[in-house]
């Protein structure tokens, strides 16, 4: 009958101990990876950014802190837009609220509805949405009306209105118009602007 020598016995025990150590380490690494949560950051990508849809206004720094707003005394062809029991006024893709006998221009709120939009709109398709973009304002056609909406993150336009704003978030430069935040990108050598989020103004 063969007996196991002390040397062979020690070698076997050492092998078992090493194997158990590697197995335990692998389990710890897998558990660590499963428990890690990807942090939400405002880091800039070289091609496009992936912000969540809502971006806190406090994070957005405007190059021009105060933009001059010029009110008007009359709107010749105004249409009343009733939204949440408050009247606003519309004419040729421009929106106003009334204050002290004058009309103050504003960006439309999501949910504003009008019967007609100017004919110089651009159709933009993204995912299953067919947007009508008129000078930076996005609409969807609904029940013979046009409703102001926020575009989906990822929507691409090839030009911005002349009075867009330059902004920074965490030191990175972007473009803003009507509370929609864009990043400049290149598509086949052509400059374009991709929606990366909507500024939360509430």
């Amino acid at each position: 009958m063969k007996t196991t020598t002390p040397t062979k016995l020690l070698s076997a025990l050492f092998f078992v101990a090493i194997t158990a150590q590697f197995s335990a380490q692998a389990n710890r690494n897998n558990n660590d990876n499963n428990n890690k949560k990807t942090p939400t950051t405002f880091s800039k990508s070289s091609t496009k950014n992936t912000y969540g849809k809502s971006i806190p206004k406090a994070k957005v720094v405007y190059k021009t802190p105060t933009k001059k707003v010029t009110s008007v005394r009359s709107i010749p062809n105004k249409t009343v837009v009733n939204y949440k029991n408050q009247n606003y006024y519309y004419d040729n893709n421009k929106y106003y609220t009334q204050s002290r006998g004058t009309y103050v221009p504003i960006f439309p709120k999501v949910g504003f509805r009008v019967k007609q939009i100017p004919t110089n709109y651009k159709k933009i398709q993204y995912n299953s949405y067919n947007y009508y973009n008129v000078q930076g304002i996005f609409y969807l056609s609904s029940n013979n009306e046009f409703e102001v909406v926020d575009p989906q993150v990822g929507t691409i336009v090839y030009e911005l209105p002349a009075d867009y704003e330059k902004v920074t978030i965490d030191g990175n430069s972007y473009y803003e118009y009507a509370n929609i935040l864009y990043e400049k990108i290149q598509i086949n050598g052509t400059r374009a602007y991709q929606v990366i989020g909507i500024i939360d103004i509430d």
Side-chain angles (χ1 to χ4, degrees):
M1 181 175 181
K2 292 184 180 179
T3 59
T4 303
T5 64
T7 301
K8 290 183 178 180
L9 182 59
L10 289 174
S11 297
L13 291 174
F14 180 75
F15 177 76
V16 170
I18 292 296
T19 302
Q21 182 179 355
F22 277 116
S23 177
Q25 182 66 38
N27 287 335
R28 280 198 300 272
N29 289 340
N30 286 335
N31 289 337
D32 288 344
N33 289 334
N34 289 335
N35 292 331
K36 282 182 180 178
K37 293 182 179 180
T38 303
T40 301
T41 63
F42 285 88
S43 59
K44 189 170 182 179
S45 165
S46 59
T47 54
K48 68 176 183 177
N49 217 310
T50 54
Y51 291 118
K53 184 174 182 180
S54 180
I55 299 171
K57 185 178 180 180
K59 278 192 168 286
V60 183
V61 179
Y62 286 79
K63 184 176 180 181
T64 305
T66 304
K67 188 175 182 179
K68 185 178 180 181
V69 177
T70 304
S71 61
V72 296
R73 293 201 172 274
S74 64
I75 308 171
N77 301 309
K78 66 178 180 290
T79 299
V80 176
V81 177
N82 187 273
Y83 179 75
K84 294 185 177 180
N85 297 320
Q86 184 171 346
N87 285 339
Y88 299 88
Y89 305 91
Y90 168 82
D91 178 39
N92 193 32
N93 201 52
K94 294 181 180 178
Y95 294 84
Y96 303 84
T97 186
Q98 196 169 31
S99 175
R100 299 179 181 180
T102 63
Y103 297 93
V104 181
I106 60 169
F107 287 124
K109 298 178 184 291
V110 170
F112 276 17
R113 285 176 171 248
V114 294
K115 294 289 186 181
Q116 292 182 325
I117 57 175
T119 57
N120 63 339
Y121 63 78
K122 296 184 185 300
K123 277 192 174 182
I124 298 173
Q125 186 174 21
Y126 185 74
N127 289 337
S128 58
Y129 293 91
N130 292 307
Y131 297 109
Y132 295 81
N133 182 283
V134 187
Q135 300 168 3
I137 305 301
F138 287 81
Y139 298 88
L140 286 177
S141 179
S142 176
N143 298 323
N144 296 319
E145 292 184 311
F146 294 91
E147 182 176 348
V148 175
V149 297
D150 284 333
Q152 282 193 316
V153 171
T155 303
I156 293 172
V157 299
Y158 286 88
E159 61 182 348
L160 297 177
D163 53 343
Y164 66 80
E165 296 274 355
K166 289 184 177 180
V167 301
T168 59
I169 300 177
D170 294 339
N172 297 317
S173 297
Y174 302 101
Y175 301 85
E176 180 269 341
Y177 187 80
N179 298 315
I180 303 169
L181 195 65
Y182 299 87
E183 181 177 24
K184 184 164 63 175
I185 61 173
Q186 291 283 327
I187 298 179
N188 298 325
T190 300
R191 180 176 58 190
Y193 302 89
Q194 186 172 44
V195 175
I196 61 169
I198 309 300
I199 298 174
D200 184 2
I201 60 175
D202 294 332

